[in-house]
Amino acid sequence: MQKRNATVAVIGAGDFIGGEIAKKFASEGFTVFAGRRQGEKLVPLVKEIEAAGGTVFARSLDARKEEEMISFISDADKHAPLEACIFNIGANVNFPILETTERVFRKVWEMACYSGFLAGREAARVMLPRGKGAIFFTGATASLRGGSGFAAFASAKFGLRAVAQSIARELGPKNIHVAHLIIDSSVDTEWVRQLIANREGKEAIENLDPNRLMRPAAVAETYWQLYQQPRDAWTFETEIRPFGEKW
């Protein structure tokens, strides 16, 4: 592994997509700054990256709190120049409209949209003086269309997409690549598998079509491909889904 004098900040370094993104960039020589709300859950990720020869710093991060986001991004950049910032907070919930409380709606917006704005702004703050960097945002099917029971989630993801578009148009001419990745599929996680089992029965999991769910490692590969794009052929938005997905 060739070490780079560069860091990547992974905000929302969960057990699946976020963790795989962290591992991919670490394997390419980046120092990883990984943050999630319950920092103690990052221990297995840290062990895996370090066992493979990578470097990672992990901490608890409530991305909705401005002071925590400022500190997280600043510390990452102080260690080595921040070359990539990946915002990967989901906040996927489903409630009928009459059961969507004010607190649920506000909290989902804070997690999936407002904290994305904070991440993008703070990453831009440290990247602009050097005139280089990449800021990537994880979107979902809900970024493009609202679904039944997804008023809170879809509105937040719509908002995050607008934030990403605005930042991209402002920072692209300044040599900072901003991209929005729409994951138009269920991702292969324990939570998703449990949902399928609850809705369709345990036999649905036992006979699960391998084309139905997207592997988190495949998502991480797409982020790495985005990072490698030449600046005269940058993608702002890309949609990914398993080849067997109906859309």
Side-chain angles (χ1 to χ4, degrees):
M1 180 191 302
Q2 183 178 357
K3 295 287 187 177
R4 301 170 185 249
N5 183 37
T7 61
V8 56
V10 182
I11 298 160
D15 297 333
F16 299 98
I17 292 177
E20 291 295 334
I21 292 170
K23 288 188 286 186
K24 177 60 182 177
F25 275 77
S27 73
E28 298 292 343
F30 280 79
T31 294
V32 176
F33 270 68
R36 64 183 293 179
R37 192 164 41 176
Q38 294 175 298
E40 66 277 5
K41 291 186 176 181
L42 289 166
V43 172
L45 177 64
V46 170
K47 290 182 178 178
E48 187 171 353
I49 289 175
E50 290 181 341
T55 303
V56 57
F57 296 89
R59 68 167 68 172
S60 295
L61 172 66
D62 187 339
R64 299 169 298 171
K65 295 182 178 179
E66 184 178 33
E67 66 277 11
E68 291 193 25
M69 183 67 74
I70 292 172
S71 176
F72 183 76
I73 295 296
S74 176
D75 288 349
D77 190 61
K78 287 176 183 175
H79 182 82
L82 183 72
E83 288 198 6
C85 177
I86 298 171
F87 179 80
N88 183 59
I89 293 177
N92 187 345
V93 298
N94 182 290
F95 288 102
I97 190 62
L98 296 185
E99 296 175 21
T100 303
T101 64
E102 182 275 339
R103 181 177 181 275
V104 164
F105 191 93
R106 174 168 42 83
K107 185 176 180 181
V108 170
W109 173 78
E110 287 176 344
M111 293 173 64
C113 184
Y114 171 67
S115 58
F117 149 71
L118 291 177
R121 186 193 68 186
E122 292 309 307
R125 194 184 303 281
V126 300
M127 291 176 181
L128 276 171
R130 290 190 292 270
K132 63 181 296 188
I135 305 171
F136 299 154
F137 299 88
T138 298
T141 306
S143 303
L144 300 178
R145 59 182 182 272
S148 176
F150 289 105
F153 182 59
S155 62
K157 284 298 185 181
F158 265 65
L160 181 68
R161 185 176 185 234
V163 169
Q165 283 182 342
S166 297
I167 297 175
R169 290 188 167 104
E170 180 177 347
L171 300 187
K174 299 177 182 179
N175 200 36
I176 296 175
H177 185 188
V178 180
H180 180 248
L181 181 65
I182 295 174
I183 301 175
D184 187 28
S185 167
S186 294
V187 177
D188 194 353
T189 68
E190 290 301 320
W191 180 71
V192 168
R193 285 176 173 265
Q194 188 58 53
L195 284 178
I196 293 173
N198 291 343
R199 293 172 181 170
E200 304 173 27
K202 292 183 179 180
E203 63 278 3
I205 293 297
E206 295 170 357
N207 302 310
L208 189 65
D209 184 342
N211 304 321
R212 180 172 178 178
L213 301 179
M214 185 183 298
R215 292 178 299 111
V219 181
E221 286 291 339
T222 302
Y223 271 112
W224 181 246
Q225 292 166 12
L226 281 172
Y227 177 78
Q228 291 182 297
Q229 285 182 334
R231 66 179 184 174
D232 57 343
W234 274 350
T235 294
F236 164 68
E237 188 164 77
T238 186
E239 300 177 37
I240 57 175
R241 59 183 64 84
F243 72 92
E245 177 83 5
K246 295 179 181 179
W247 59 288

Short mmCIF file of all heavy atoms in Angstrom, two decimals, residues 43-70:
data_model
loop_
_atom_site.label_atom_id
_atom_site.label_comp_id
_atom_site.label_asym_id
_atom_site.label_seq_id
_atom_site.Cartn_x
_atom_site.Cartn_y
_atom_site.Cartn_z
N VAL A 43 -15.11 0.59 16.41
CA VAL A 43 -13.97 -0.25 16.81
C VAL A 43 -13.67 -1.36 15.81
O VAL A 43 -12.51 -1.55 15.40
CB VAL A 43 -14.19 -0.82 18.23
CG1 VAL A 43 -13.11 -1.85 18.57
CG2 VAL A 43 -14.18 0.31 19.26
N PRO A 44 -14.65 -2.15 15.35
CA PRO A 44 -14.33 -3.20 14.37
C PRO A 44 -13.76 -2.64 13.07
O PRO A 44 -12.86 -3.26 12.48
CB PRO A 44 -15.69 -3.88 14.14
CG PRO A 44 -16.50 -3.58 15.36
CD PRO A 44 -16.07 -2.20 15.77
N LEU A 45 -14.26 -1.49 12.62
CA LEU A 45 -13.76 -0.88 11.39
C LEU A 45 -12.30 -0.47 11.56
O LEU A 45 -11.47 -0.71 10.67
CB LEU A 45 -14.61 0.32 11.02
CG LEU A 45 -14.15 1.12 9.79
CD1 LEU A 45 -14.22 0.26 8.52
CD2 LEU A 45 -14.99 2.40 9.63
N VAL A 46 -11.99 0.14 12.70
CA VAL A 46 -10.62 0.56 12.97
C VAL A 46 -9.68 -0.64 12.96
O VAL A 46 -8.61 -0.62 12.34
CB VAL A 46 -10.53 1.30 14.32
CG1 VAL A 46 -9.08 1.52 14.73
CG2 VAL A 46 -11.26 2.64 14.24
N LYS A 47 -10.09 -1.72 13.62
CA LYS A 47 -9.25 -2.93 13.66
C LYS A 47 -9.01 -3.50 12.28
O LYS A 47 -7.90 -3.93 11.95
CB LYS A 47 -9.91 -3.97 14.57
CG LYS A 47 -9.89 -3.61 16.05
CD LYS A 47 -10.52 -4.71 16.89
CE LYS A 47 -10.45 -4.39 18.38
NZ LYS A 47 -11.11 -5.44 19.20
N GLU A 48 -10.05 -3.51 11.45
CA GLU A 48 -9.91 -4.07 10.11
C GLU A 48 -8.99 -3.23 9.24
O GLU A 48 -8.14 -3.76 8.51
CB GLU A 48 -11.29 -4.20 9.45
CG GLU A 48 -11.26 -4.93 8.13
CD GLU A 48 -12.64 -5.25 7.58
OE1 GLU A 48 -13.64 -5.03 8.29
OE2 GLU A 48 -12.70 -5.72 6.43
N ILE A 49 -9.14 -1.91 9.29
CA ILE A 49 -8.29 -1.03 8.48
C ILE A 49 -6.84 -1.13 8.94
O ILE A 49 -5.92 -1.24 8.12
CB ILE A 49 -8.80 0.42 8.55
CG1 ILE A 49 -10.12 0.56 7.78
CG2 ILE A 49 -7.76 1.40 7.99
CD1 ILE A 49 -10.75 1.93 7.88
N GLU A 50 -6.62 -1.10 10.25
CA GLU A 50 -5.25 -1.16 10.76
C GLU A 50 -4.61 -2.52 10.48
O GLU A 50 -3.40 -2.60 10.18
CB GLU A 50 -5.25 -0.86 12.25
CG GLU A 50 -5.58 0.61 12.56
CD GLU A 50 -5.56 0.94 14.03
OE1 GLU A 50 -5.64 -0.01 14.86
OE2 GLU A 50 -5.49 2.14 14.37
N ALA A 51 -5.39 -3.59 10.54
CA ALA A 51 -4.85 -4.92 10.25
C ALA A 51 -4.39 -5.04 8.80
O ALA A 51 -3.48 -5.80 8.48
CB ALA A 51 -5.90 -5.99 10.55
N ALA A 52 -5.03 -4.25 7.93
CA ALA A 52 -4.66 -4.26 6.52
C ALA A 52 -3.55 -3.26 6.21
O ALA A 52 -3.16 -3.10 5.04
CB ALA A 52 -5.89 -3.95 5.66
N GLY A 53 -3.04 -2.59 7.24
CA GLY A 53 -1.94 -1.65 7.05
C GLY A 53 -2.36 -0.22 6.84
O GLY A 53 -1.52 0.64 6.54
N GLY A 54 -3.65 0.08 7.02
CA GLY A 54 -4.14 1.44 6.81
C GLY A 54 -4.09 2.27 8.08
O GLY A 54 -3.81 1.77 9.17
N THR A 55 -4.38 3.55 7.91
CA THR A 55 -4.39 4.49 9.03
C THR A 55 -5.78 5.10 9.16
O THR A 55 -6.34 5.59 8.17
CB THR A 55 -3.36 5.62 8.82
OG1 THR A 55 -2.06 5.04 8.64
CG2 THR A 55 -3.32 6.55 10.02
N VAL A 56 -6.32 5.06 10.36
CA VAL A 56 -7.67 5.56 10.57
C VAL A 56 -7.79 6.20 11.94
O VAL A 56 -7.20 5.73 12.92
CB VAL A 56 -8.71 4.41 10.41
CG1 VAL A 56 -8.42 3.27 11.37
CG2 VAL A 56 -10.13 4.93 10.60
N PHE A 57 -8.53 7.29 12.00
CA PHE A 57 -8.89 7.95 13.25
C PHE A 57 -10.41 7.96 13.32
O PHE A 57 -11.07 8.38 12.37
CB PHE A 57 -8.35 9.38 13.31
CG PHE A 57 -6.85 9.45 13.30
CD1 PHE A 57 -6.15 9.52 12.10
CD2 PHE A 57 -6.13 9.44 14.49
CE1 PHE A 57 -4.77 9.57 12.09
CE2 PHE A 57 -4.75 9.49 14.50
CZ PHE A 57 -4.06 9.56 13.29
N ALA A 58 -10.94 7.46 14.43
CA ALA A 58 -12.39 7.33 14.55
C ALA A 58 -12.88 8.10 15.77
O ALA A 58 -12.21 8.16 16.80
CB ALA A 58 -12.77 5.86 14.68
N ARG A 59 -14.06 8.68 15.63
CA ARG A 59 -14.62 9.41 16.77
C ARG A 59 -16.14 9.49 16.66
O ARG A 59 -16.71 9.34 15.57
CB ARG A 59 -14.06 10.82 16.85
CG ARG A 59 -14.49 11.72 15.70
CD ARG A 59 -14.17 13.19 15.98
NE ARG A 59 -12.74 13.45 15.99
CZ ARG A 59 -12.22 14.67 16.06
NH1 ARG A 59 -13.01 15.73 16.12
NH2 ARG A 59 -10.92 14.85 16.05
N SER A 60 -16.75 9.75 17.79
CA SER A 60 -18.18 10.02 17.80
C SER A 60 -18.42 11.38 17.16
O SER A 60 -17.66 12.32 17.37
CB SER A 60 -18.72 10.04 19.23
OG SER A 60 -18.60 8.76 19.83
N LEU A 61 -19.46 11.46 16.35
CA LEU A 61 -19.77 12.70 15.65
C LEU A 61 -21.27 12.84 15.50
O LEU A 61 -21.91 12.01 14.86
CB LEU A 61 -19.10 12.71 14.27
CG LEU A 61 -19.48 13.86 13.34
CD1 LEU A 61 -18.98 15.19 13.89
CD2 LEU A 61 -18.94 13.62 11.93
N ASP A 62 -21.81 13.88 16.10
CA ASP A 62 -23.20 14.25 15.84
C ASP A 62 -23.15 15.31 14.75
O ASP A 62 -22.86 16.48 15.02
CB ASP A 62 -23.87 14.79 17.10
CG ASP A 62 -25.37 15.03 16.89
OD1 ASP A 62 -25.80 15.16 15.72
OD2 ASP A 62 -26.11 15.09 17.89
N ALA A 63 -23.38 14.90 13.52
CA ALA A 63 -23.19 15.77 12.37
C ALA A 63 -24.18 16.93 12.34
O ALA A 63 -24.02 17.87 11.56
CB ALA A 63 -23.31 14.96 11.08
N ARG A 64 -25.19 16.89 13.19
CA ARG A 64 -26.16 17.99 13.26
C ARG A 64 -25.65 19.17 14.07
O ARG A 64 -26.25 20.23 14.06
CB ARG A 64 -27.46 17.49 13.88
CG ARG A 64 -28.14 16.36 13.12
CD ARG A 64 -29.26 15.74 13.93
NE ARG A 64 -28.74 15.15 15.17
CZ ARG A 64 -29.51 14.69 16.15
NH1 ARG A 64 -30.81 14.78 16.05
NH2 ARG A 64 -28.96 14.16 17.22
N LYS A 65 -24.54 18.96 14.79
CA LYS A 65 -24.00 20.02 15.64
C LYS A 65 -22.84 20.71 14.93
O LYS A 65 -21.81 20.09 14.64
CB LYS A 65 -23.55 19.42 16.98
CG LYS A 65 -24.72 18.87 17.78
CD LYS A 65 -24.26 18.33 19.13
CE LYS A 65 -25.46 17.82 19.94
NZ LYS A 65 -25.05 17.27 21.24
N GLU A 66 -23.02 21.98 14.67
CA GLU A 66 -22.06 22.73 13.87
C GLU A 66 -20.65 22.66 14.44
O GLU A 66 -19.68 22.44 13.71
CB GLU A 66 -22.51 24.19 13.75
CG GLU A 66 -21.62 25.03 12.86
CD GLU A 66 -22.11 26.46 12.73
OE1 GLU A 66 -22.69 26.97 13.72
OE2 GLU A 66 -21.93 27.06 11.66
N GLU A 67 -20.53 22.83 15.76
CA GLU A 67 -19.20 22.86 16.36
C GLU A 67 -18.49 21.52 16.22
O GLU A 67 -17.27 21.46 16.03
CB GLU A 67 -19.27 23.28 17.83
CG GLU A 67 -19.97 22.32 18.75
CD GLU A 67 -21.49 22.46 18.78
OE1 GLU A 67 -22.05 23.19 17.91
OE2 GLU A 67 -22.13 21.85 19.66
N GLU A 68 -19.25 20.42 16.27
CA GLU A 68 -18.63 19.10 16.10
C GLU A 68 -18.17 18.89 14.66
O GLU A 68 -17.10 18.32 14.41
CB GLU A 68 -19.60 17.99 16.53
CG GLU A 68 -19.86 17.95 18.02
CD GLU A 68 -20.56 16.67 18.46
OE1 GLU A 68 -20.44 15.65 17.75
OE2 GLU A 68 -21.23 16.70 19.51
N MET A 69 -18.95 19.35 13.71
CA MET A 69 -18.57 19.21 12.31
C MET A 69 -17.33 20.05 12.00
O MET A 69 -16.41 19.59 11.31
CB MET A 69 -19.72 19.62 11.39
CG MET A 69 -19.42 19.43 9.92
SD MET A 69 -19.26 17.68 9.45
CE MET A 69 -21.00 17.21 9.50
N ILE A 70 -17.29 21.27 12.50
CA ILE A 70 -16.14 22.14 12.28
C ILE A 70 -14.88 21.48 12.84
O ILE A 70 -13.83 21.43 12.17
CB ILE A 70 -16.36 23.52 12.93
CG1 ILE A 70 -17.47 24.28 12.18
CG2 ILE A 70 -15.07 24.33 12.93
CD1 ILE A 70 -17.90 25.56 12.86
#
